[in-house]
C-alpha cells in the first residue's frame, strides 16, 4: 500500500524548492533569490519528511526549532555561493548558522548545565557581534 498525503506532503516544498534551483540554473543564473527560496524550501521538505516518516516526533518540535534557523543560514549561504560578489549575504548566513549550531545542542539537551548557563549569559554578545558585522559590511562595501 502506498503512503497517503499525510506522509508525502513534504514532497511539495521539496519539489518546488528543487524547481526553483533548476530555474536559476536553466534560466541564465540571473536571479540568485531563486537559489535562496529553492534551497530553503527543499531543506524544509526534507526536514518535514523526518517527521512524517516517523524518524522524529511532532511533539518534540520544541527541541528541533533551531533547524529552521540553520535552514535559513544554509539558504543565505547557497545564495552567496550563487553570487559571491554579494558578500553581504555572508552576514545573515553566518549569524543564522552560528545561532542554529549553538541552539540545537542546547535544545536537544546535549550540552552540560554549565554550558547552558554560560550561553544564557552571553547570548546578547552574538547580537552585538552580528550588528558589528552588518555595520562593517556596510562600511567596507565598494562605493558606486
Amino acid at each position: 500500500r502506498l503512503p497517503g498525503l499525510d506522509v508525502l506532503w513534504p514532497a511539495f516544498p521539496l519539489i518546488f524548492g528543487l524547481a526553483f534551483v533548476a530555474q536559476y540554473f536553466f534560466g541564465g543564473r540571473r536571479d540568485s533569490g531563486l537559489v535562496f527560496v529553492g534551497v530553503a524550501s527543499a531543506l524544509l521538505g526534507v526536514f518535514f519528511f523526518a517527521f512524517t516518516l516517523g524518524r522524529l516526533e511532532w511533539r518534540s518540535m520544541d527541541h528541533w526549532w533551531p533547524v529552521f534557523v540553520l535552514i535559513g543560514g544554509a539558504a543565505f549561504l547557497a545564495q552567496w555561493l550563487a553570487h559571491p560578489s554579494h558578500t553581504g549575504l555572508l552576514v545573515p548566513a553566518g549569524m543564522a548558522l552560528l545561532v542554529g549550531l549553538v541552539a540545537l545542542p542546547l535544545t536537544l539537551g546535549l550540552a552540560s548545565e554549565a554550558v547552558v548557563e554560560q550561553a544564557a549569559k552571553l547570548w546578547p554578545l552574538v547580537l552585538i557581534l552580528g550588528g558589528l558585522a552588518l555595520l562593517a559590511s556596510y562600511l567596507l562595501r565598494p562605493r558606486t
Side-chain angles (χ1 to χ4, degrees):
R1 183 171 175 255
L2 291 174
L5 202 53
D6 60 325
V7 173
L8 295 178
W9 70 263
F12 293 110
L14 175 61
I15 291 168
F16 285 125
L18 295 175
F20 275 106
V21 172
Q23 183 178 353
Y24 168 75
F25 282 108
F26 296 122
R29 299 180 182 204
R30 288 186 295 270
D31 186 3
S32 63
L34 293 170
V35 174
F36 178 88
V37 173
V39 168
S41 180
L43 289 176
L44 281 172
V46 170
F47 181 53
F48 287 140
F49 261 129
F51 290 93
T52 63
L53 295 175
R55 299 286 184 216
L56 300 175
E57 295 181 5
W58 288 107
R59 63 186 169 144
S60 66
M61 183 61 83
D62 60 330
H63 297 293
W64 291 103
W65 68 262
V67 173
F68 294 109
V69 180
L70 289 170
I71 287 171
F76 274 117
L77 188 60
Q79 186 179 6
W80 172 76
L81 288 170
H83 206 298
S85 65
H86 290 156
T87 55
L89 293 169
L90 289 174
V91 174
M95 287 178 61
L97 291 171
L98 177 66
V99 168
L101 288 171
V102 168
L104 190 59
L106 296 176
T107 60
L108 292 177
L110 300 175
S112 70
E113 190 173 316
V115 170
V116 172
E117 287 177 17
Q118 200 64 11
K121 291 177 185 174
L122 295 176
W123 72 265
L125 187 60
V126 173
L127 295 176
I128 293 168
L129 292 174
L132 289 173
L134 278 171
L135 183 61
S137 71
Y138 174 76
L139 293 174
L140 297 175
R141 73 178 184 196
R143 306 278 185 235
T144 55

